[in-house]
Amino acid sequence: MPETPENIDYDQLLQKIETWSEQLGFQQLGVSDIDLSEHQRRLDDWLDAGFHGEMDYMTKHGSKRSHPEQLVENTIRVISVRMDYMPPDCELSDAVLTNPEMGFISRYALGRDYHKVMRNRLQKLADRIKATIGEFGYRVFVDSAPVLEKALAEKAGLGWIGKHSNLINQKAGSWFFLGEIYTDLPLPLSDYHTENHCGTCSACIDICPTRAIVAPYRVDARRCISYLTIELHGSIPVEFRKDMGNRIYGCDDCQLCCPWNRFSQPTSEQDFFTRHPLDAPDLIALFSWDKATFLKNTEGSAIRRIGHQRWLRNIAVALGNAPRSDKIIEVLQDKKREFSRDELLIEHIDWAVEKQVGSR
């Protein structure tokens, strides 16, 4: 029988939640309060600098992003969880990045869309809580609303926000997803605080191909390859195309070089295992996908969100950066004839052909 609010032992409840969380495949869980005033100031500075680019959603919703109680009424606690995602069966990233005939896809996108996986597990966690204590106020989030997930996870003790702006865990690196449950339950706050262990290291800043990390803990999204290949809808600025190399969906460079990721563990979650396979794909083969093939091969994947046009746009840039090849020039010109009315795609194909023809 569900417990009544008057006799709930919240310390014991949290212990149960932690156990259920582990059973559902999460690697860690923490609880934070909802004071995000310090992070709101940082967000305001970032937005004022225009670093969000075309991500207009970052400026919407007023103060709800930093005031969870405004987004979900009566919220007083946030349960944060993390789940490892690095596939154990994928080709080594360095091997793909150094092979210009292949396309590099950020490792988080090689499996099933994490939004669906995480949201489903968090809902199951909420259902278990409900079965134990009865009805309670909550809402589940996985990168799906104005939520400062990294700030909340840091407050919950899951790690610290590194100089590249990703969350780093001292025992697990940074290859993990985050999710939250906003709730009105007065759960005990996590009693551990994670110190920042970046120290004097500047590896992520130094390695960024487009110099997007303009200062420690400060990323100009407009320069970031993840933004350029995923969030940007229009033309990729010419100044960044060469430095994109063969990265066609996202960029992992700042994580690949992070010393703390030597402690990361491959995921055991089969939903995140490599699909199709996209861990070391041939660029020309990917460029041949028509829209139906793209939709079929990206079904259930986060990649589908960019659509077929931007997929081809990104691959065209990568083909332009590849060593000169008559075959590449041929497929680029064929694609230009096929999409003769697509100005955006033609612009990037023309750039790629020019790069190919000018190569020696």
Side-chain angles (χ1 to χ4, degrees):
M1 292 290 293
E3 302 175 23
T4 61
E6 294 76 18
N7 65 5
I8 295 175
D9 184 322
Y10 287 101
D11 288 303
Q12 288 188 4
L13 177 60
L14 179 56
Q15 291 177 12
K16 293 178 181 178
I17 293 173
E18 290 173 337
T19 299
W20 298 331
S21 171
E22 184 177 350
Q23 293 171 348
L24 287 167
F26 298 114
Q27 275 67 58
Q28 191 177 0
L29 177 146
V31 179
S32 71
D33 59 31
I34 58 173
D35 180 10
L36 294 171
S37 53
E38 178 183 350
H39 293 278
Q40 178 62 54
R41 288 191 292 272
R42 297 176 189 172
L43 175 61
D44 289 341
D45 290 342
W46 187 76
L47 292 172
D48 289 343
F51 288 165
H52 59 297
E54 291 185 3
M55 295 184 290
D56 295 335
Y57 59 85
M58 294 296 299
T59 64
K60 297 179 180 179
H61 309 293
S63 56
K64 289 182 179 179
R65 196 174 295 275
S66 58
H67 290 81
E69 77 284 2
Q70 294 180 10
L71 183 61
V72 181
E73 189 176 3
N74 298 322
T75 295
I76 59 173
R77 295 287 187 270
V78 176
I79 300 171
S80 291
V81 297
R82 65 174 184 84
M83 181 181 284
D84 296 335
Y85 68 74
M86 178 59 80
D89 57 341
C90 68
E91 185 69 34
L92 292 177
S93 297
D94 289 344
V96 180
L97 286 168
T98 55
N99 187 336
E101 295 181 355
M102 294 181 180
F104 181 82
I105 294 173
S106 186
R107 273 32 201 156
Y108 84 84
L110 294 180
R112 186 168 181 239
D113 189 341
Y114 69 95
H115 297 88
K116 300 175 183 178
V117 176
M118 294 278 287
R119 189 181 299 117
N120 178 266
R121 302 294 176 84
L122 282 171
Q123 184 59 54
K124 288 182 178 180
L125 180 57
D127 290 343
R128 291 192 182 183
I129 298 173
K130 180 179 176 180
T132 301
I133 66 171
E135 295 289 343
F136 72 103
Y138 77 92
R139 187 173 169 187
V140 169
F141 295 106
V142 182
D143 195 22
S144 56
V147 173
L148 290 177
E149 61 175 8
K150 287 180 283 190
L152 289 165
E154 185 178 53
K155 285 179 67 71
L158 302 192
W160 73 92
I161 297 176
K163 292 179 181 179
H164 48 23
S165 81
N166 294 311
L167 196 76
I168 303 174
N169 183 282
Q170 193 171 5
K171 297 180 179 180
S174 61
W175 302 107
F176 51 77
F177 297 124
L178 297 172
E180 302 79 37
I181 300 178
Y182 281 28
T183 181
D184 61 0
L185 297 175
L187 295 167
L189 299 175
S190 297
D191 58 0
Y192 45 87
H193 174 72
T194 303
E195 297 293 334
N196 186 311
H197 294 286
C198 285
T200 60
C201 179
S202 61
C204 60
I205 299 173
D206 299 336
I207 203 172
C208 180
T210 53
R211 297 293 182 261
I213 308 175
V214 295
Y217 314 104
R218 196 167 174 83
V219 177
D220 185 346
R222 298 168 300 181
R223 305 181 64 90
C224 178
I225 293 176
S226 288
Y227 169 84
L228 296 171
T229 56
I230 300 173
E231 302 292 345
L232 183 65
H233 288 263
S235 175
I236 297 173
V238 175
E239 64 180 300
F240 301 128
R241 294 180 190 177
K242 180 180 178 181
D243 291 329
M244 286 171 56
N246 62 346
R247 300 166 184 83
I248 61 173
Y249 187 94
C251 177
D252 289 341
D253 287 38
C254 62
Q255 296 192 85
L256 289 168
C257 72
C258 180
W260 290 104
N261 271 323
R262 68 183 184 274
F263 298 115
S264 64
Q265 297 294 321
T267 183
S268 59
E269 180 54 59
Q270 293 191 6
D271 279 327
F272 297 149
F273 285 17
T274 303
R275 290 181 165 196
H276 291 311
L278 289 173
D279 55 327
D282 179 81
L283 280 172
I284 292 179
L286 295 183
F287 202 54
S288 70
W289 288 4
D290 58 18
K291 187 173 183 179
T293 303
F294 170 80
L295 292 175
K296 177 184 178 182
N297 289 344
T298 60
E299 184 176 1
S301 165
I303 297 173
R304 181 181 278 201
R305 63 176 292 210
I306 68 172
H308 186 233
Q309 182 196 48
R310 280 188 280 167
W311 174 253
L312 294 177
R313 176 200 66 180
N314 297 346
I315 298 172
V317 172
L319 288 171
N321 287 327
R324 179 185 169 87
S325 162
D326 291 339
K327 179 62 175 179
I328 289 178
I329 295 174
E330 178 184 345
V331 298
L332 286 168
Q333 291 173 336
D334 287 345
K335 192 66 70 175
K336 180 178 179 179
R337 285 190 288 271
E338 181 182 351
F339 289 86
S340 59
R341 296 184 179 181
D342 191 323
E343 294 182 2
L344 176 67
L345 190 53
I346 288 176
E347 176 203 341
H348 291 78
I349 291 176
D350 284 344
W351 178 88
V353 170
E354 182 180 349
K355 287 277 291 181
Q356 278 287 312
V357 172
S359 299
R360 292 187 178 181

